[in-house]
Amino acid sequence: MSVDEIAAPAAASELERVLLQHRVEQFLYGEAQLLDHWHWGSWLELFAEDILYWMPVRKNRLRRQRDQDEVPQGIEVAHFYDNLESLRMRVNQMHSGTHWAEDPPSRCRHLVTNVIVTPRGESGSATADSAEYDVSSNFLLYRNRLESETDIWAGERRDLLRTTPTGFEIAKRTILLDQNVVQSKNLSVLF
């Protein structure tokens, strides 16, 4: 067996990993563009029927507590704790023209970076037939509302993506704001 024959499976595996990374990033960038261009209905179609979309309230932790999980195990308090139906109600409200906090609609820019894709499953390999992926990404969400209101939110999103015949769907999204106290007048935008 030649060196090339030994290296070929590793090279194919690396290529699959790179292609998966690219596909996931393009999916997240496309999602951001839908939100930035007020295509909330199309955005909603990216979610699975059993979606859990939530943003827990963060707590300050002492240095000695930093190894504890940032995401609470039970729901204490959350800014958002939505399923598909409550997300649909949010989107319908945005389309209604009677959503006072979003009329006129905010101008938003969703920036997504530091995307890390981890295949679920026992092997942990990034193959095309893997069904689910844990995806961690950082975000920066800039919003300008009315004439002079500006909000900036930064944080991490932890998504569970599933493969479907048409691409990916978001099965779970946990939004971890870096801000401990939200000082915005409202959280009427979608993350």
Side-chain angles (χ1 to χ4, degrees):
M1 185 176 271
S2 72
V3 173
D4 290 338
E5 291 172 326
I6 294 170
S13 177
E14 179 64 13
L15 179 59
E16 288 175 2
R17 190 194 64 74
V18 169
L19 290 173
L20 173 64
Q21 179 77 24
H22 177 74
R23 287 179 48 228
V24 169
E25 287 175 355
Q26 292 304 304
F27 175 80
L28 295 176
Y29 300 157
E31 177 200 7
Q33 187 173 39
L34 290 173
L35 290 170
D36 292 346
H37 292 248
W38 307 332
H39 297 299
W40 303 300
S42 296
W43 173 80
L44 189 61
E45 292 174 7
L46 301 177
F47 291 92
E49 291 288 325
D50 61 339
I51 181 66
L52 171 59
Y53 178 93
W54 76 300
M55 180 191 298
V57 172
R58 303 292 296 271
K59 293 182 178 180
N60 287 327
R61 297 189 184 277
L62 299 173
R63 189 177 305 268
R64 67 178 175 267
Q65 298 170 317
R66 297 222 17 143
D67 62 339
Q68 294 178 7
D69 191 4
E70 288 276 349
V71 181
Q73 296 303 313
I75 303 303
E76 296 173 13
V77 179
H79 298 292
F80 303 131
Y81 191 80
D82 291 330
N83 60 18
L84 188 60
E85 187 56 35
S86 55
L87 282 175
R88 187 174 288 118
M89 288 184 344
R90 283 177 186 267
V91 166
N92 289 341
Q93 188 178 30
M94 300 273 248
H95 284 297
S96 71
T98 60
H99 188 6
W100 65 268
E102 284 300 319
D103 193 17
S106 298
R107 288 172 301 281
C108 293
R109 191 66 54 207
H110 292 75
L111 305 177
V112 180
T113 185
N114 296 52
V115 178
I116 299 173
V117 181
T118 306
R120 281 198 164 190
E122 293 178 20
S123 67
S125 63
T127 62
D129 60 350
S130 294
E132 295 184 333
Y133 303 93
D134 289 311
V135 178
S136 172
S137 61
N138 293 342
F139 70 87
L140 184 70
L141 173 48
Y142 169 86
R143 172 177 75 170
N144 180 262
R145 187 173 173 273
L146 302 173
E147 291 183 17
S148 60
E149 291 180 24
T150 300
D151 296 302
I152 299 174
W153 297 284
E156 176 186 2
R157 294 189 316 194
R158 296 178 185 171
D159 293 334
L160 171 60
L161 295 187
R162 287 187 189 135
T163 56
T164 69
T166 59
F168 293 111
E169 67 180 5
I170 304 167
K172 182 177 181 183
R173 170 160 290 165
T174 302
I175 305 156
L176 300 172
L177 281 181
D178 287 340
Q179 293 93 325
N180 194 46
V181 176
V182 177
Q183 297 181 355
S184 308
K185 291 183 180 178
N186 61 53
L187 276 173
S188 60
V189 296
L190 300 165
F191 289 81

